[in-house]
Amino acid sequence: MKDKRILFVSSEVVPYLPETELSLTAFNAAKNAHSKGVQTRIFMPRYGVINERRHQLHEVIRLSGMNLVVNDMDMPLIIKVASIPKERMQVYFIDNEEYFKRKAVFTDEDDELFEDNDERAIFFAKGVVETVKKLNWAPDIIHVHGWMASLLPLYLKEFYKEEPLFTESKIITSIYNNPFEGTLDESLAEKVKFDLNENKKIAILNTPNHTNILKSAIENSDAIIHGSEDISDELSAFIEEKNIPVLGYQEENFKESYLNFYADIVSAT
């Protein structure tokens, strides 16, 4: 895998957010690949809880400035970047005043999901792709972590399917046991339909709960990794139906297993 390119796209990454199974795994997967000579880029949302001064985030003017259309509204895209101390790995942050300025991640002070989490997920997915296009950086693998990033496979496979930069890219989605209660805004499918018209792949988002959002990611991925030891029976069965490569939960040989899996997926191109 030396000199191959892996784009890591995650809802959460340490040290910018607290340690969770997801934030640690996303970080360690990127760190391990980077240490073996793989070219890596990490993307995550720039939530308002991230201390920009402490983590030395700065805006990249040449990448910022475009507007992304979300639900027929123009939303300005701001790109910030930082380097993870001691690792020499760059992290790109997708930012927008309307979606990510608030001092919270997914829920308000009453632990209720933000009403616009659906639009935040759309903005994040499109922001990642548009920024990578500006970087002109064609990834061999795109590794997706977390539900906030889970619309990215759908957008890559459908909305950006004619984009030559991603023609050879393979999408791997890690599935974690970190569900949210309830659903995102019920109009998520209609908002995605604004970009994808009557695409049949949107139907699964008509009930935008955690399981269905992950099912959308699975349906549009080339391979799956079990990021948690326990995955719901429903998701496990859905993964089995897809007949795509799957890496089971890794606890002991995490580093070697992930690298071998990446190599297998790339070689299968």
Side-chain angles (χ1 to χ4, degrees):
M1 286 297 294
K2 193 176 190 307
D3 294 327
K4 294 293 186 182
R5 295 176 171 185
I6 303 181
L7 173 65
F8 293 89
V9 184
S10 183
S11 301
E12 310 166 37
V13 180
V14 293
Y16 306 104
L17 289 179
E19 290 188 4
T20 62
E21 183 174 54
L22 193 160
S23 66
L24 277 169
T25 302
F27 167 76
N28 284 324
K31 175 184 175 182
N32 181 51
H34 184 76
S35 71
K36 299 300 183 181
V38 178
Q39 296 183 46
T40 62
R41 298 286 187 277
I42 303 172
F43 277 73
M44 69 176 292
R46 204 293 297 177
Y47 306 107
V49 296
I50 296 173
N51 188 312
E52 294 197 12
R53 179 174 297 178
R54 181 190 308 147
H55 295 295
Q56 299 182 9
L57 274 67
H58 62 273
E59 183 176 352
V60 185
I61 303 299
R62 68 182 179 87
L63 298 177
S64 300
M66 76 175 79
N67 284 350
L68 303 180
V69 177
V70 177
N71 196 28
D72 203 20
M73 296 183 297
D74 283 345
M75 305 301 290
L77 173 64
I78 301 168
I79 302 299
K80 295 174 180 175
V81 70
S83 293
I84 296 179
K86 301 179 182 178
E87 305 301 339
R88 294 185 179 178
M89 290 194 301
Q90 282 198 312
V91 180
Y92 291 82
F93 296 85
I94 301 296
D95 197 5
N96 170 270
E97 289 282 311
E98 182 72 22
Y99 291 139
F100 296 112
K101 185 177 182 180
R102 68 201 68 161
K103 299 294 184 181
V105 182
F106 305 126
T107 57
D108 61 22
E109 61 272 12
D110 298 318
D111 205 28
E112 297 289 333
L113 289 168
F114 289 122
E115 291 183 359
D116 63 352
N117 273 341
D118 60 330
E119 294 185 8
R120 298 167 92 206
I122 293 171
F123 184 86
F124 181 51
K126 297 176 80 170
V128 168
V129 178
E130 295 297 341
T131 304
V132 174
K133 284 168 60 179
K134 275 200 168 184
L135 291 169
N136 195 31
W137 194 79
D140 296 287
I141 286 175
I142 300 167
H143 192 170
V144 177
H145 302 258
W147 67 262
M148 180 65 82
S150 290
L151 292 181
L152 180 61
L154 172 62
Y155 270 82
L156 282 168
K157 292 290 188 179
E158 300 299 328
F159 190 64
Y160 292 101
K161 62 184 176 184
E162 303 298 333
E163 174 53 53
L165 202 67
F166 304 104
T167 302
E168 303 298 327
S169 301
K170 295 296 183 180
I171 302 170
I172 299 175
T173 294
S174 281
I175 304 298
Y176 296 89
N177 185 19
N178 63 337
F180 56 77
E181 296 295 324
T183 67
L184 301 188
D185 189 280
E186 295 288 349
S187 62
L188 170 60
E190 288 299 317
K191 293 170 182 175
V192 173
K193 194 179 292 183
F194 181 84
D195 292 322
L196 302 183
N197 299 315
E198 298 297 327
N199 194 297
K200 64 181 180 181
K201 288 186 175 182
I202 299 173
I204 202 167
L205 298 174
N206 284 331
T207 301
N209 56 29
H210 184 263
T211 295
N212 286 343
I213 290 169
L214 292 189
K215 282 183 176 180
S216 172
I218 294 164
E219 183 176 33
N220 294 284
S221 294
D222 300 295
I224 298 296
I225 293 177
H226 285 239
S228 296
E229 186 171 8
D230 297 315
I231 302 296
S232 74
D233 292 342
E234 184 176 354
L235 284 175
S236 295
F238 190 80
I239 292 169
E240 265 190 54
E241 292 172 6
K242 296 305 162 188
N243 195 29
I244 56 177
V246 177
L247 179 65
Y249 177 69
Q250 300 296 310
E251 188 172 19
E252 301 298 328
N253 302 310
F254 170 89
K255 295 180 179 180
E256 184 178 347
S257 298
Y258 272 47
L259 283 176
N260 288 340
F261 194 64
Y262 293 148
D264 290 343
I265 300 306
V266 169
S267 64
T269 301

